[in-house]
Amino acid sequence: MSPALMFWTQFFLVLAAILLGIRKGGVALGLIGGLGVAVLVLLFRVAPGTPPIDVMLIILAVVTASATLQVAGGLDYLVQLTERVLRAHPKYVTILAPLSTFLLTVCVGTGHAVYALLPVISDVALKTRIRPERPMAISSVASQMGITASPVAAAVTTFLAMAAKNGHPVGLFDIVRITLPAGIIGVLAAAAWSFNRGKELDQDPEFLERMKDPEFAKALDANVTTLDKKIPFTAKLSVGLFFAGVLTIILIAMKPSLLPLVNGKAVPMTTVVQIVMLAFGSFILFATQVKAPDIARSSVFIAGMIAVVSIFGIAWMSETFIKANEGYLVANIKAMVQMAPWTFALAMFAVSAFVKSQAATLTIMLPFGYALGLPTSLLLGLIPASYAYFFFAFYPSDLAAINMDRTGTTRIGKYLLNHSFMIPGLIGVSVSTCVAYGLSKILG
């Protein structure tokens, strides 16, 4: 079989495995990815790649600490603080809400905290008679954009681990100093566009028609708030401990001299993240007296474990495919990508539209980028393009935003792609990618 035929046969096999895994959902992506590895190795007789062990261990450590924070009530406390800000300045909810969801994700490393905040955002907008679609859509998008700007998010630590694995180590601070400002600027750009989107509620014929239904009108009067929830001291303590862990990681990243030397080299940051997050997770456990079984049952932990299994199978399959076809890829695609680097961003965006994880997208695409000879600084500048799963509006945060908007203004349109999240998502991701690319040129 010729190299070209071998490549395309294996390519469609890998693509079919990814699409089938996405359709099945959950851990199916990892299981079917493992099946793909079996077919590539046993049928096509190629050498198996190496599973991304460091990536998986980092996600395990961070997710376990985040889940402990959730069970201790820390996420509830952060949501309540955010609600106070939104209700104090309701007229600016379209700007403040997405900034809040973005920064909340940056702080805790997961976008799952947004679910508790979405009904509050909708309520603040409704009480101020602002079209809820305006802050709701961009807030959902912003909560996911914050992932690539968080020092403890799986996507950022995945980049850290993959760069080190491919012989191009990069510091945690080097990543965040590019992705954080780029993400904020992207969110602000999308929020600015959202400020006047759609018709005002008192001028929207669909909304006015629905208001004729007494049950619908009555439902809008319901009060949604977290301010009446009593937050125990242990919840506040858990937040302080979690942030202490994050700050410890950032401090060590900025001052590597704090680390011990092993065989003349400092302990890798990938290992540091694992050590610190597990340690501070245990501090939260002891200080707040949470029950260990509750941690394993939390929504953050379950979602994280699904991500680990998915990345295990899908990344192993991708690594096996890329290593087996590296010569063909370099010979036929390298020149084009080096001439027009933005084409790699488009490829990453396309993968992310189907793979509902930025960490999984980066795990799939970074080995491909390194095989093409792309420098780490360029790949870092394109990292915001790893978020595109707003494109089909099937991600849980998008669906939650639709369901929690009691006015029905946040929605999926008749033609599937004309939904509330499309334009804010495209603006946010494209602007943040352009800014990150520019910063990588300046700071790289």
Side-chain angles (χ1 to χ4, degrees), residues 369-432:
Y370 282 117
L372 295 173
L374 299 180
T376 296
S377 59
L378 170 62
L379 294 172
L380 178 54
L382 302 181
I383 192 174
S386 64
Y387 168 50
Y389 39 86
F390 67 85
F391 197 82
F392 294 109
F394 55 22
Y395 196 72
S397 64
D398 299 334
L399 298 177
I402 292 170
N403 292 324
M404 292 176 185
D405 179 359
R406 288 172 284 160
T407 65
T409 57
T410 308
R411 58 193 173 185
I412 295 176
K414 180 180 178 181
Y415 303 105
L416 184 64
L417 295 182
N418 59 329
H419 52 71
S420 298
F421 312 93
M422 181 62 81
I423 297 180
L426 290 174
I427 292 174
V429 171
S430 60
V431 169
S432 60

Side-chain angles (χ1 to χ4, degrees), residues 215-384:
E215 291 297 323
F216 177 77
K218 183 179 179 181
L220 296 185
D221 292 331
N223 191 36
V224 178
T225 182
T226 65
L227 299 181
D228 56 2
K229 185 174 183 179
K230 188 176 181 180
I231 302 295
F233 170 75
T234 52
K236 300 174 183 179
L237 178 61
S238 70
V239 171
L241 289 171
F242 187 86
F243 284 169
V246 175
L247 291 175
T248 300
I249 292 172
I250 294 173
L251 177 64
I252 294 174
M254 294 176 67
K255 291 191 172 293
S257 58
L258 295 173
L259 292 171
L261 299 179
V262 179
N263 297 326
K265 295 182 179 179
V267 175
M269 277 305 300
T270 51
T271 304
V272 170
V273 172
Q274 297 167 41
I275 294 171
V276 172
M277 292 315 296
L278 287 175
F280 277 87
S282 69
F283 294 158
I284 296 172
L285 175 73
F286 292 126
T288 63
Q289 296 297 307
V290 299
K291 296 179 180 178
D294 292 340
I295 298 172
R297 288 192 289 264
S298 69
S299 61
V300 169
F301 188 83
I302 292 170
M305 293 309 101
I306 291 173
V308 169
V309 176
S310 297
I311 288 172
F312 179 27
I314 206 70
W316 195 6
M317 179 179 66
S318 300
E319 168 86 359
T320 301
F321 166 70
I322 289 168
K323 288 297 183 183
N325 295 277
E326 187 171 354
Y328 180 84
L329 286 169
V330 171
N332 290 275
I333 305 175
K334 183 176 181 178
M336 181 193 74
V337 174
Q338 288 182 332
M339 187 183 305
W342 55 269
T343 57
F344 191 80
L346 291 180
M348 193 149 59
F349 186 89
V351 169
S352 179
F354 294 96
V355 179
K356 296 185 291 183
S357 165
Q358 292 167 69
T361 300
L362 291 171
T363 307
I364 292 170
M365 294 300 295
L366 287 179
F368 187 27
Y370 282 117
L372 295 173
L374 299 180
T376 296
S377 59
L378 170 62
L379 294 172
L380 178 54
L382 302 181
I383 192 174

Side-chain angles (χ1 to χ4, degrees), residues 62-247:
V62 172
V63 163
T64 304
S66 298
T68 309
L69 174 71
Q70 181 187 26
V71 174
L75 291 186
D76 292 336
Y77 177 53
L78 291 172
V79 167
Q80 194 176 87
L81 291 177
T82 305
E83 181 178 353
R84 293 186 190 280
V85 174
L86 295 179
R87 294 199 184 276
H89 308 281
K91 291 184 179 180
Y92 302 102
V93 66
T94 306
I95 299 291
L96 293 177
L99 282 176
S100 298
T101 59
F102 176 86
L103 293 174
L104 193 59
T105 297
V106 170
C107 290
V108 300
T110 173
H112 292 289
V114 76
Y115 301 127
L117 204 51
L118 286 174
V120 173
I121 295 170
S122 176
D123 192 62
V124 171
L126 186 56
K127 294 293 191 296
T128 321
R129 283 297 182 259
I130 292 172
R131 184 182 180 88
E133 179 188 32
R134 295 171 183 172
M136 291 290 277
I138 178 55
S139 294
S140 176
V141 168
S143 71
Q144 303 307 313
M145 289 177 62
I147 288 173
T148 52
S150 171
V152 290
V156 173
T157 50
T158 293
F159 193 100
L160 193 74
M162 297 297 286
K165 178 182 176 182
N166 285 275
H168 303 278
V170 62
L172 187 63
F173 179 72
D174 296 326
I175 300 174
V176 176
R177 69 175 178 169
I178 289 175
T179 56
L180 181 58
I184 291 174
I185 293 171
V187 168
L188 289 174
W193 178 86
S194 302
F195 212 77
N196 293 303
R197 75 176 302 186
K199 296 179 179 180
E200 302 295 341
L201 287 179
D202 59 2
Q203 299 173 4
D204 188 330
E206 291 186 29
F207 175 74
L208 295 175
E209 182 64 29
R210 297 182 71 185
M211 281 294 288
K212 294 178 182 179
D213 180 355
E215 291 297 323
F216 177 77
K218 183 179 179 181
L220 296 185
D221 292 331
N223 191 36
V224 178
T225 182
T226 65
L227 299 181
D228 56 2
K229 185 174 183 179
K230 188 176 181 180
I231 302 295
F233 170 75
T234 52
K236 300 174 183 179
L237 178 61
S238 70
V239 171
L241 289 171
F242 187 86
F243 284 169
V246 175
L247 291 175

Side-chain angles (χ1 to χ4, degrees), residues 6-59:
M6 179 71 77
F7 169 81
W8 287 110
T9 302
Q10 294 179 14
F11 172 79
F12 284 115
L13 167 69
V14 170
L15 183 62
I18 292 173
L19 293 176
L20 183 57
I22 292 168
R23 179 178 290 274
K24 292 290 185 181
V27 299
L29 193 59
L31 293 172
I32 296 173
L35 176 61
V37 175
V39 173
L40 288 171
V41 173
L42 301 177
L43 182 61
F44 289 93
R45 319 303 291 178
V46 304
T50 305
I53 303 299
D54 281 342
V55 173
M56 293 160 60
L57 292 178
I58 288 173
I59 295 174

